[in-house]
Amino acid sequence: MNNKFIIVEGSEGVGKSSQIKTIENYLISNKIDYILTREPGGTQTGEQIRKIILDKNNDTNELSDALLFYASRYENYTKNILPALDSGKTVVCDRFHYSTLVYQGIVGDNSTVRDLHHIFNEIYKKTIDHVIYFYTDPDESLKRISRRSVTDKFESKGLSFLENISNAYEVVFRNMKNITKIETTGNKSATEKILVKSLDEIFFTND
Ligand SMILES: Nc1ncnc2c1ncn2[C@@H]1O[C@H](COP(=O)(O)OP(=O)(O)OP(=O)(O)O)[C@@H](O)[C@H]1O
Ligand SMILES: [Mg+2]
């Protein structure tokens, strides 16, 4: 079995961060050495950039947001992700460049971002092994987000925004290879069981 670079993607409040704990438990119990990193943070510069992007008082446009994301992501990629992969570790990343394509490129309707996605995808696709795509209905994710006491710039945009994000993810991932879509509409433990089965396939099939 080789180490893997796994991306976790999906809309707001679908359960990515919650289910990443299941992934971590799985890796630990299977003695798979890994690092977990969050998009777009992970480096000191990246974390600073993340604060700028998510600040509700910053009126940055779609392309500026995307360029900030690209900068922090590239820092994280070269300083953390590639060295970890080179040293034989598995890397789990909470969001990656597909988020920028969906949020700024498609929902933000910025064609420069869509072009940039193709340029960066040429770099990143060489190392990405698998995408785990979590999905629940926008109504359900709105309910989950509404329970949070603090929301960021994207989370406070309402149902039609969530519907647009959700539709865009469906289009982006429709014909992609090496992707597993996992519904999180049911309770956490039902989702965990499905996720563990998928992880068995990702890590222990065809190797
Ligand atoms: N099947 C499920 N899987 C995961 N989370 C669930 C499930 N059912 C309910 N939840 C709840 O949904 C919420 C999901 O929040 P979480 O922060 O994990 O989402 P997220 O996808 O990481 O969001 P964001 O994009 O804002 O980071 C949590 O409060 C969690 O308890
Ligand atoms: Mg999260």
Side-chain angles (χ1 to χ4, degrees):
M1 191 207 72
N2 298 316
N3 59 320
K4 308 257 183 229
F5 181 16
I6 296 188
I7 310 291
V8 174
E9 279 281 3
S11 183
E12 312 283 325
V14 294
K16 297 179 296 298
S17 301
S18 309
Q19 294 297 343
I20 279 174
K21 298 201 177 79
T22 310
I23 300 177
E24 288 197 273
N25 289 336
Y26 179 91
L27 296 173
I28 292 165
S29 62
N30 284 284
K31 298 190 169 46
I32 296 169
D33 204 3
Y34 75 96
I35 64 160
L36 170 65
T37 175
R38 184 180 64 170
E39 168 74 2
T43 64
Q44 213 186 346
T45 321
E47 294 294 343
Q48 284 166 342
I49 295 171
R50 180 184 172 93
K51 283 198 190 113
I52 299 172
I53 303 169
L54 296 182
D55 186 342
K56 286 180 204 164
N57 299 317
N58 278 335
D59 188 20
T60 43
N61 79 9
E62 306 296 345
L63 182 55
S64 306
D65 275 354
L67 291 169
L68 288 165
F69 274 116
Y70 276 117
S72 70
R73 180 175 306 128
Y74 198 72
E75 283 298 293
N76 192 22
Y77 187 68
T78 51
K79 296 216 169 78
N80 297 325
I81 295 173
L82 282 182
L85 291 172
D86 286 345
S87 72
K89 288 182 182 160
T90 281
V91 176
V92 179
C93 191
D94 189 347
R95 293 188 179 277
F96 209 57
H97 67 317
Y98 308 103
S99 290
T100 313
L101 173 64
V102 164
Y103 281 70
Q104 287 78 37
I106 300 176
V107 177
D109 194 17
N110 190 297
S111 64
T112 310
V113 175
R114 295 196 294 273
D115 291 344
L116 280 170
H117 175 79
H118 293 296
I119 293 169
F120 279 96
N121 193 43
E122 288 303 309
I123 300 172
Y124 294 137
K125 76 178 186 192
K126 291 182 191 132
T127 49
I128 294 171
D129 293 292
H130 209 92
V131 177
I132 301 178
Y133 162 44
F134 289 109
Y135 176 87
T136 191
D137 297 329
D139 285 327
E140 177 61 29
S141 61
L142 183 63
K143 270 191 224 152
R144 293 178 188 176
I145 295 165
S146 309
R147 286 189 215 116
R148 293 176 180 169
S149 51
V150 182
T151 52
D152 67 32
K153 179 167 100 180
F154 298 116
E155 289 167 349
S156 49
K157 284 191 175 180
L159 184 62
S160 67
F161 177 71
L162 291 175
E163 284 168 346
N164 291 339
I165 294 289
S166 187
N167 291 338
Y169 270 114
E170 287 291 300
V171 171
V172 168
F173 289 147
R174 190 170 292 152
N175 294 316
M176 243 179 67
K177 280 190 200 154
N178 298 326
I179 180 151
T180 303
K181 179 178 176 179
I182 295 184
E183 300 262 351
T184 64
T185 313
N187 65 33
K188 268 190 186 177
S189 67
T191 305
E192 272 167 32
K193 281 193 189 126
I194 297 166
L195 176 57
V196 165
K197 262 195 185 163
S198 305
L199 290 169
D200 279 338
E201 279 165 26
I202 294 167
F203 281 95
F204 297 105
T205 309
N206 303 324
D207 265 315

